[in-house]
Amino acid sequence: MAELTALESLIEMGFPRGRAEKALALTGNQGIEAAMDWLMEHEDDPDVDEPLETPVSHILGREPTSSEQVVHEGSGSAAGESKPILTEEERQEQTKRMLELVAQKQREREEREEREALEREKQRRRQGQELSVARQKLQEDEMRRAAEERRREKAEELAARQRVREKIERDKAERAKKYGGSVGSRSSPPATDPGPVPSSPSQEPPTKREYDQCRIQVRLPDGTSLTQTFRAREQLAAVRLYVELHRGEEPGQDQDPVQLLSGFPRRAFSEADMERPLQELGLVPSAVLIVAKKCPS
């Protein structure tokens, strides 16, 4: 099919003349199908109706010679004179084929857009599932820490009771040894040689307690607060992650980054502080932190 016939066919299909000429020129006059592919891909371009400034010969990669220009002009006029005239039935058949091709291209485009939308939905659901898994893991960690805390407190209580019992037994043994008898049947010491007055049990000097747990209360910007127990050796980043997962944002929404502050003494924790343990930051055994929205840098 000659170039002029392809141009007329595109115009009959409803494409503007300038847009059809531009499509044929940019596809190197390779036929109606190539021009239609270009038109379907670039129909939303803002400059699709702007005239083509670059000559066709430049697009094809070379400058035409003077002889080629003469031959092209002569052949163009000859082709215009000897252009075959299509009958009405042939014209309708050609138009029908072109419309079917346009419909096929439109269906392919709709299918491609549907696949892209489906892929975006899968990505959104995958992100939601990852957030749900993170929440579940955090809840499991909280339950595990609470169980460990109960076991530790119970073990400390049992150990304290055992120490008291052992101390009582030692005191009984010492008194029995000093008075020469059992504690239940102590005899009075001789008047001539009174025994030494038993001294009160020596009190052990208080020792500084080492805490392995830290209770953090976090005050949110809306006035509510969160309270959670962490390990003393956990990093401050764990507290920030807990706040970001429990501050009431809906899943899938963009969350503003937060910054943690201490009330007294006033201090704003930096990104370097996030890698430091709570014990090193002076937050053990308990502390109150304030959440402020972090300004984007």
Side-chain angles (χ1 to χ4, degrees):
M1 185 180 295
E3 178 183 351
L4 187 57
T5 304
L7 178 60
E8 288 182 349
S9 299
L10 291 173
I11 293 174
E12 288 182 0
M13 292 168 60
F15 293 105
R17 183 182 186 87
R19 190 179 298 187
E21 292 177 348
K22 187 175 182 179
L24 289 169
L26 292 176
T27 56
N29 295 323
Q30 296 179 2
I32 296 177
E33 186 172 354
M36 288 181 59
D37 288 340
W38 188 94
L39 290 170
M40 297 294 291
E41 293 177 1
H42 298 274
E43 63 178 348
D44 296 328
D45 292 355
D47 59 346
V48 66
D49 291 322
E50 294 183 3
L52 186 64
E53 298 180 355
T54 306
V56 177
S57 59
H58 290 183
I59 297 174
L60 297 179
R62 61 184 183 87
E63 292 285 349
T65 61
S66 57
S67 60
E68 287 178 342
Q69 291 178 355
V70 173
V71 171
H72 179 71
E73 293 174 358
S75 61
S77 59
E81 293 175 359
S82 62
K83 171 191 172 184
I85 300 176
L86 300 177
T87 64
E88 184 64 24
E89 182 178 355
E90 292 175 341
R91 185 180 297 274
Q92 291 178 358
E93 182 65 23
Q94 185 181 35
T95 303
K96 180 180 178 181
R97 288 198 303 271
M98 293 302 103
L99 292 176
E100 290 176 353
L101 184 58
V102 171
Q104 179 183 355
K105 296 296 182 182
Q106 185 66 24
R107 285 194 302 270
E108 293 176 355
R109 180 181 180 183
E110 291 175 356
E111 291 175 357
R112 183 176 64 254
E113 292 177 351
E114 184 178 355
R115 288 194 301 270
E116 293 175 354
L118 182 61
E119 184 63 27
R120 288 194 297 270
E121 178 64 17
K122 289 181 179 179
Q123 180 69 16
R124 185 189 67 80
R125 292 184 180 181
R126 185 161 52 250
Q127 292 176 353
Q129 291 176 354
E130 292 175 356
L131 181 60
S132 177
V133 170
R135 289 179 183 273
Q136 182 177 359
K137 185 177 182 302
L138 183 60
Q139 292 176 357
E140 293 175 355
D141 292 342
E142 292 173 1
M143 295 175 61
R144 184 169 57 255
R145 283 195 294 266
E148 292 176 356
E149 177 67 15
R150 288 194 295 269
R151 288 195 296 270
R152 184 187 62 80
E153 292 176 354
K154 186 175 181 179
E156 289 180 355
E157 183 179 356
L158 292 176
R161 291 179 181 179
Q162 181 66 24
R163 287 194 298 270
V164 171
R165 285 195 294 266
E166 292 175 355
K167 191 174 188 315
I168 292 174
E169 293 297 330
R170 286 196 303 269
D171 292 342
K172 288 181 179 180
E174 289 177 0
R175 287 196 298 270
K177 183 178 180 181
K178 287 180 180 180
Y179 292 107
S182 62
V183 178
S185 59
R186 288 184 300 177
S187 60
S188 300
T192 57
D193 189 13
V197 178
S199 60
S200 61
S202 59
Q203 298 181 353
E204 299 177 359
T207 58
K208 185 177 180 181
R209 182 178 178 183
E210 291 292 335
Y211 295 92
D212 59 351
Q213 299 287 333
C214 177
R215 188 175 181 85
I216 301 294
Q217 181 182 7
V218 182
R219 296 179 181 174
L220 302 178
D222 59 357
T224 61
S225 63
L226 301 172
T227 304
Q228 181 60 31
T229 302
F230 300 87
R231 292 183 179 274
R233 294 184 179 86
E234 281 190 281
Q235 297 178 348
L236 185 59
V239 180
R240 182 171 64 180
L241 175 61
Y242 175 80
V243 171
E244 291 177 349
L245 293 176
H246 289 79
R247 56 177 175 163
E249 300 289 349
E250 290 296 332
Q253 293 183 354
D254 293 334
Q255 297 183 357
D256 296 329
V258 298
Q259 184 177 17
L260 298 179
L261 310 173
S262 62
F264 184 81
R266 187 74 175 179
R267 177 182 179 183
F269 295 99
S270 62
E271 287 297 328
D273 294 332
M274 295 298 158
E275 305 297 329
R276 299 174 62 186
L278 301 176
Q279 188 175 25
E280 184 179 340
L281 294 172
L283 302 178
V284 176
S286 63
V288 177
L289 300 180
I290 303 172
V291 173
K293 290 186 176 180
K294 186 176 180 182
C295 298
S297 56

